[in-house]
Amino acid sequence: MKYSGVYPCYENQFEIDTSVGDVEEPEMNQIADCESFSVSFDNGVEEWSPFDQKGWTRRLVTSKSVTLSVTAKRNIGDAGNDTVAGLAWASGRNAEKDFQWTFPDGTIVKFKDAVINVTNTGAGDSTGAAPLEFEVMSNGKPEIIPAA
C-alpha cells in the first residue's frame, strides 16, 4: 500500500496506450494536464417480489459498466494527450485504447479496449487555455490489480 488516510484527488493517475497499430505490449503513457474527473458506475439490477418476502422487493446486480469523465487542457506534443485528442475523429474499433487508472493506494484498474469518447478538443473562450474533454467507457470487465 502506498499510504493510508485522506488524499488529494491528484494522486489518481491515468495512462493510455500510445502505441500505433497492433503491438503485443501496449505503450502506456500518462495524459498531461488532466484537471478533474468524475466516475459513474452503471449497474444493471434485476428486481423481483417473491411471495415469501411479503411485498418486499429482492434485488441482484447482474451487470456493470463504468465511465470516467475527464477534463484536461490540450497539450500538443504530449504522447498521452495527443493520443486522446486524435481519437476525436475515430469511430468503431479505432476509438478503442487500453487505459489504466492507478489509485493513490496503488490499486490499478486496467481497461482493455476502453471506448474513448472525445467530447471537446480545443473549443473555448479566446482567452482560455484549449480544453480536452473525454469519457473513458469500460468495454467488458476491467482487470483489477489490488495494491501490494
Side-chain angles (χ1 to χ4, degrees), residues 3-11 104-105:
Y3 58 82
S4 62
V6 176
Y7 58 88
C9 286
Y10 67 75
E11 291 288 334
D105 71 353

Side-chain angles (χ1 to χ4, degrees), residues 10-131:
Y10 67 75
E11 291 288 334
N12 290 277
Q13 295 297 310
F14 304 113
E15 295 177 274
I16 192 165
D17 176 13
T18 58
S19 54
V20 178
D22 290 332
V23 295
E24 288 203 25
E25 279 297 313
E27 185 178 325
M28 302 302 287
N29 281 286
Q30 285 191 357
I31 303 165
D33 290 306
C34 291
E35 298 180 281
S36 68
F37 74 100
S38 63
V39 181
S40 174
F41 290 92
D42 184 14
N43 302 311
V45 178
E46 182 80 20
E47 296 184 348
W48 66 100
S49 299
F51 294 131
D52 66 344
Q53 295 299 308
K54 299 182 179 10
W56 286 90
T57 300
R58 299 271 326 266
R59 293 183 173 96
L60 179 67
V61 175
T62 59
S63 65
K64 289 190 154 309
S65 68
V66 63
T67 300
L68 287 87
S69 298
V70 182
T71 60
K73 296 297 184 202
R74 180 66 179 101
N75 186 327
I76 297 171
D78 174 76
N81 199 290
D82 287 347
T83 297
V84 171
L87 294 172
W89 309 108
S91 61
R93 297 283 180 210
N94 293 325
E96 297 175 355
K97 281 287 189 178
D98 289 352
F99 187 88
Q100 181 173 301
W101 177 11
T102 303
F103 287 76
D105 71 353
T107 298
I108 297 171
V109 180
K110 292 184 175 188
F111 298 92
K112 175 100 172 108
D113 298 326
V115 173
I116 311 299
N117 180 30
V118 179
T119 57
N120 186 0
T121 179
D125 294 336
S126 65
T127 58

